[in-house]
Amino acid sequence: MAAQAARAPDVRILGAEPFVNGVASAVRHVEEQRLSNVRIHHGDARDLVAALPDASIERVFILFPDPWPKARHHKRRIVQPELLTELARVLKPGGKLRFATDWADYADWTLERALKSGRFAWPAERADAWRTPPADHVATRYEEKKLGDCAPVFLDFLKA
């Protein structure tokens, strides 16, 4: 399913990976599947987002990022107010942000910050909205490892 979605001619995918081994693995998968619409940025996703023009992205996926579970390391989490501001800037009107994690604290952290920012709305109306993988979800390697402290949580936000 991921390969089919990635091959759609009007879908372009930008990925960011700070570790060279992760970049090599991603490039290998892109080449194996002959995906011509995927680009990988070797570096921090925040640098990539900062370089994008306003209202240039339809969807952003933050899937199973490092949870930095110790409180003294929370400043290293990718979801921070500054990133949410930048994501709102680069998302088109009506754009979507998906965050998925298997760490309960990180789900709470992200929900609190996204709503507090005033830049994102969370349209969930029932528990299945965050407990059930969305129809277009593609499982990640980290998700499959099940290293977190809860079942996966899927938070889909709309640009407010």
Side-chain angles (χ1 to χ4, degrees), residues 102-138:
D102 54 2
W103 288 88
D105 174 68
Y106 207 177
D108 293 343
W109 165 280
T110 299
L111 183 60
E112 178 184 337
R113 279 151 185 78
L115 296 178
K116 188 176 181 180
S117 77
R119 293 174 168 86
F120 295 95
W122 187 46
E125 295 180 357
R126 58 187 204 287
D128 280 352
W130 65 86
R131 291 184 185 154
T132 305
D136 63 349
H137 177 68
V138 177

Side-chain angles (χ1 to χ4, degrees), residues 72-85:
R72 70 177 185 262
H73 294 151
H74 285 183
K75 64 185 176 230
R76 296 180 180 175
R77 288 179 167 178
I78 192 161
V79 176
Q80 299 289 342
E82 300 80 14
L83 178 67
L84 292 169
T85 297

Side-chain angles (χ1 to χ4, degrees), residues 14-123:
L14 296 172
E17 171 58 50
F19 302 107
V20 72
N21 288 348
V23 172
S25 177
V27 168
R28 179 175 45 85
H29 289 293
V30 167
E31 289 176 352
E32 285 173 356
Q33 295 181 40
R34 296 186 176 129
L35 303 174
S36 61
N37 59 333
V38 177
R39 301 295 182 267
I40 308 296
H41 168 72
H42 178 207
D44 194 301
R46 291 168 283 214
D47 298 334
L48 177 60
V49 172
L52 294 171
D54 295 356
S56 60
I57 302 291
E58 291 180 12
R59 297 185 75 185
V60 172
F61 295 87
I62 303 174
L63 305 176
F64 299 89
D66 191 324
W68 294 103
K70 294 179 182 176
R72 70 177 185 262
H73 294 151
H74 285 183
K75 64 185 176 230
R76 296 180 180 175
R77 288 179 167 178
I78 192 161
V79 176
Q80 299 289 342
E82 300 80 14
L83 178 67
L84 292 169
T85 297
E86 281 294 288
L87 291 177
R89 179 186 66 77
V90 301
L91 279 168
K92 293 179 178 180
K96 297 177 183 180
L97 165 63
R98 176 170 301 152
F99 177 84
T101 186
D102 54 2
W103 288 88
D105 174 68
Y106 207 177
D108 293 343
W109 165 280
T110 299
L111 183 60
E112 178 184 337
R113 279 151 185 78
L115 296 178
K116 188 176 181 180
S117 77
R119 293 174 168 86
F120 295 95
W122 187 46

